[in-house]
Amino acid sequence: MKYDYEATGEIFEWRGPAPFTFVAIDLQQSKEIKSRSAMFTYGWGVLYIHGVLGKTEFSTTLFPKEGVYHIPIKAAVKSSEGECHGVVHATHIPHTA
C-alpha cells in the first residue's frame, strides 16, 4: 500500500549540536498521516519516507513534533539543490508498506 503526501513549506533551521533543517507538514495532513502511522511506524510515531526536493530524491524519517510531522532535509540534499534556506519547496512523501 502506498500513500502520497506533498508538503510545501518554508525550510527552517533547528539549532542543536549541529544545525538541522526541516519542512513541517501542515496540521491537516499530519492528522491524516498520524491516523495511518500505526501501519508504518517503527516506534514513537517515526516513519521511513522517500522524499523529493527539486530534482533530488532522498530517504529519511518523518517524525512528529508539536502536533505536526517534520521532514528532515539533509545537508547533501540542500547542497545539491543550491541554497534553499527560507524558500518554499515541495516534498513528495510516499509511504510504502
Side-chain angles (χ1 to χ4, degrees):
M1 183 176 286
K2 179 179 173 179
Y3 297 100
D4 292 328
Y5 295 95
E6 186 171 285
T8 302
E10 184 171 329
I11 293 176
F12 63 93
E13 193 170 282
W14 179 358
R15 291 278 179 192
F20 295 94
T21 56
F22 299 86
V23 172
I25 296 177
D26 70 58
L27 182 59
Q28 185 60 35
Q29 286 190 30
S30 290
K31 286 180 179 179
E32 186 177 332
I33 292 167
K34 183 176 181 175
S35 73
R36 298 177 176 177
S37 67
M39 295 185 290
F40 305 104
T41 187
Y42 64 90
W44 306 284
V46 177
L47 307 164
Y48 287 114
I49 65 164
H50 174 80
V52 178
L53 178 64
K55 295 180 180 178
T56 306
E57 296 187 31
F58 60 97
S59 295
T60 189
T61 55
L62 182 69
F63 66 94
K65 181 167 176 55
E66 299 173 353
V68 297
Y69 281 90
H70 291 81
I71 306 165
I73 307 297
K74 299 173 183 177
V77 172
K78 280 182 58 180
S79 66
S80 69
E81 288 298 317
E83 182 54 45
C84 58
H85 185 78
V87 179
V88 175
H89 290 277
T91 305
H92 180 70
I93 312 160
H95 295 256
T96 327

